[in-house]
Amino acid sequence: MRRRPAEFRRPSRRRLPNVLWWSAAAASACLLLLFIVVTFTNRDGRIRSASSPVYKANFPRRYRRDKYLEALNVTDEILNPTSVTRQLTEQIALAKSFLVIAKESNNIQFAWELSAQIRNSQLLLSDAATRRAPLTVRESETAIRDMALLLYQAQQLHYDSPTMMMRLKAKIQSLEEQMTTVSEKSSKYGQIAAEEVPKSLYCLGVRLTTEWFRNTGTGKRSERGNHVDARLRDNSLYHFCVFSDNIIATSVVVNSTASSSRNPGMVVFHIVTDEINHAAMKAWFSMNVFQGVTIEVLKFEDFTWLNASYVPVLKQLQDSETQSYYFSGTNDGSRTPIKFRNPKYLSMLNHLRFYIPEVFPALKKVVFLDDDVVVRKDLVGLFSVDLHGNVNGAVETCMETFHRYHKYLNYSHPLVRKHFDPDACGWAFGMNVFDLVEWRKRNVTGIYHYWQEKNVDRTLWKLGTLPPGLLTFYGLTHPLDPSWHVLGLGYTNVDQKLINSGAVLHYNGNSKPWLKIGMEKYKALWEEHVDYSHPLLQQCNFH
C-alpha cells in the first residue's frame, strides 16, 4: 500500500502527561458540582428537591388542568372511569334527552317510566351526597341495570339522533307553515279590526248629531262672528289643518296642541270632515273649549271645485273596474293583500292633503297633522323653519333601506325608473309644513294629478297616499329635524328617548290608540288628552 506524501500525512497525536489529564478531570467535576448546587439552591440557601413539581416537564399543562377542575368542582370520583356515580350521571343525562323525545312522540307510558327511573337515580345520588360517601356497586346495581334497559328500549323505538333529527326537521317545517297561516290570518283580522268603527265612537257621533240639531244653544254657540272669520285668514297666526272623520282623534290633536303651546290664543285649527260627521264634529268643538284655540269645521262636499272632472281620484272611483278592485276583491283571485284593497285610500279625506291651497286660498303657510298624532311640544317653531325654497318640510325616514323610494314605487315601470332615484330618502306624512305660496307657484297639485292619471291601472304604486306624495314632492321637500316627528307608535317598539324628545308622536299603523288592538304601553300618552268624565263619553262607554 502506497503511503501518502509527507504534506498529506495526519500529524502525530501528542500525548499529555497523566498528571495533566487527572487535573483537567478534577476541574470539570468541580464545575459540575458547583452548577448543581447553584441550580438547586433557593434564595434562602436551602437545597431544593429535584422532585419538586416546578421541574416536572408537564407542570404547566397539569397546573392548568387542576385549576380548571377546581373551577368546575369536579371530584376524583367523577373522573374515575369505573365510578358508578359517573355512570349514573351519564345515564340520567341521556334519559332526559329521550324523555323529551318520548313526550314529543306522544309515548306517554314510556315517558312516565323514564321520569320515574330518573327520579330513582337522582335520589341515590342525593343520598350519597348527603352522607358524603361514594355510591357502592351493590346499592346502585339495580338502578344502573333498570336505566340501561330503558335506554336500550329507547334505541329500539328509534329515538336515536339521526331519526329524531329528521322528525324534528319535519316538525319545524310543519310549524313554519302553521305560523305563516296564522300570520296571514292575524294580518287580515288586524286590518279588519283597524277599519271598523268602535261602537263607542259610533254612539258619540249619533248623540252629537242629535244634540246639534236639537239644541239650538249649541247652534248659536257655533255661529262665527266677523272677528273669528278674520282670524281664519290672518297669516300672522299659526294655522294647522286636520282632515278626519274621527271626532275623538281630532279632539286629541287639537287638545294636545293647545296644551303644548305657550300661546294657544295664536293657534287656529282648520278641520275638514265629511257630510256624515259634519254636524257631530261641529257640535263637539262648539260645546268644548280648547284653551282659546280658534277652530273651524268644514265639510269637503261644500268644495265646488272638488269634482270628477278636476280630481283624478273621484274619476277613478266612478270606474267600474276600480270599484270592483277595492270593494269586491274578486278580479285577481284574491292574490292582492287585503291592505292594498282598503277603500279608505280612495277617500277624499286622505287625498285632500294634495289640495290644501284650494281648501285654504287665503293662507300662506300651514302645518298639516294626521288625526292619529299627539303633540307633546310647542309647534310654533315650525312656522319659522326656512324651507330653502321648497314646498314641503318633513322628517326623512331613510335611516334604513326599507324607507327609500324603491320600497314604495314600482321601479320596473319605465316612468318611475326614468324620473326617480331608487335610493332617494323617503319622508313621513302626518306632520308636514307646507309653504302654500311656493306650492301655487310650482303647481304642485298639477304634478299630483299627472301621476294619479298615470297610475290609473295601479302599476306605479298600490298603497295609500305616501307613494303619490313621494312623486309629487320629489325635489321639493326640505328635511326637518327628526325630533319634530316620531313615528311607529301604532305598530312597533319605539325608543323611549325618542318619545321623550319628540314634538309629535305618530300612531301610524293599525294599532290606533282608540282601538282595543292599540299598543297598551303607548295608549296613556294619547288618553291623557281625553276627558273620560265628559257626560257624552260616559254615556257611550268610553273608557
Side-chain angles (χ1 to χ4, degrees), residues 208-436:
L208 284 171
T209 302
T210 304
E211 180 75 14
W212 175 259
F213 289 108
R214 178 187 299 170
N215 190 340
T216 55
T218 303
K220 289 180 180 178
R221 285 197 300 271
S222 68
E223 293 177 358
R224 299 200 309 251
N226 294 331
H227 173 68
V228 173
D229 287 337
R231 290 176 62 84
L232 297 177
R233 298 188 298 271
D234 187 350
N235 281 290
S236 65
L237 303 178
Y238 306 113
H239 295 267
F240 298 83
C241 64
V242 181
F243 306 141
S244 174
D245 57 1
N246 188 319
I247 300 167
I248 289 297
T250 306
S251 176
V252 167
V253 176
V254 176
N255 194 27
S256 62
T257 303
S259 301
S260 303
S261 176
R262 287 188 289 269
N263 190 0
M266 296 285 288
V267 173
V268 179
F269 259 94
H270 305 268
I271 300 169
V272 182
T273 186
D274 54 20
E275 190 167 14
I276 295 175
N277 296 279
H278 184 241
M281 197 80 78
K282 287 180 73 72
W284 179 260
F285 285 101
S286 63
M287 68 173 56
N288 293 285
V289 179
F290 295 89
Q291 303 182 36
V293 172
T294 302
I295 300 173
E296 176 189 33
V297 179
L298 305 171
K299 58 179 177 179
F300 71 80
E301 285 86 355
D302 289 339
F303 303 148
T304 56
W305 49 265
L306 202 61
N307 52 66
S309 62
Y310 178 62
V311 179
V313 169
L314 292 177
K315 187 189 305 181
Q316 294 168 14
L317 189 59
Q318 296 174 357
D319 181 67
S320 59
E321 183 181 348
T322 302
Q323 292 178 2
S324 175
Y325 177 83
Y326 279 99
F327 296 102
S328 67
T330 58
N331 59 341
D332 70 341
S334 297
R335 291 189 302 271
T336 305
I338 186 173
K339 68 178 182 178
F340 292 133
R341 298 180 173 279
N342 192 340
K344 78 174 185 177
Y345 296 125
L346 289 178
S347 167
M348 277 314 303
L349 289 177
N350 265 305
H351 288 267
L352 207 58
R353 65 192 67 189
F354 295 102
Y355 299 93
I356 292 177
E358 285 92 336
V359 177
F360 312 114
L363 299 183
K364 296 180 178 179
K365 182 173 284 189
V366 67
V367 171
F368 167 80
L369 296 173
D370 266 342
D371 64 359
D372 54 353
V373 306
V374 171
V375 178
R376 305 260 295 173
K377 295 184 178 180
D378 194 351
L379 300 184
V380 169
L382 288 171
F383 291 86
S384 59
V385 171
D386 186 1
L387 298 182
H388 299 283
N390 290 296
V391 177
N392 174 29
V395 170
E396 291 184 334
T397 58
C398 58
M399 289 72 71
E400 303 173 5
T401 57
F402 178 83
H403 296 291
R404 296 185 184 271
Y405 266 52
H406 64 78
K407 181 63 182 177
Y408 301 99
L409 305 173
N410 177 22
Y411 271 84
S412 64
H413 197 289
L415 266 179
V416 175
R417 193 167 57 248
K418 178 181 178 181
H419 291 90
F420 304 100
D421 177 8
D423 291 323
C425 290
W427 45 267
F429 257 141
M431 196 291 299
N432 305 81
V433 186
F434 290 121
D435 185 335
L436 302 186

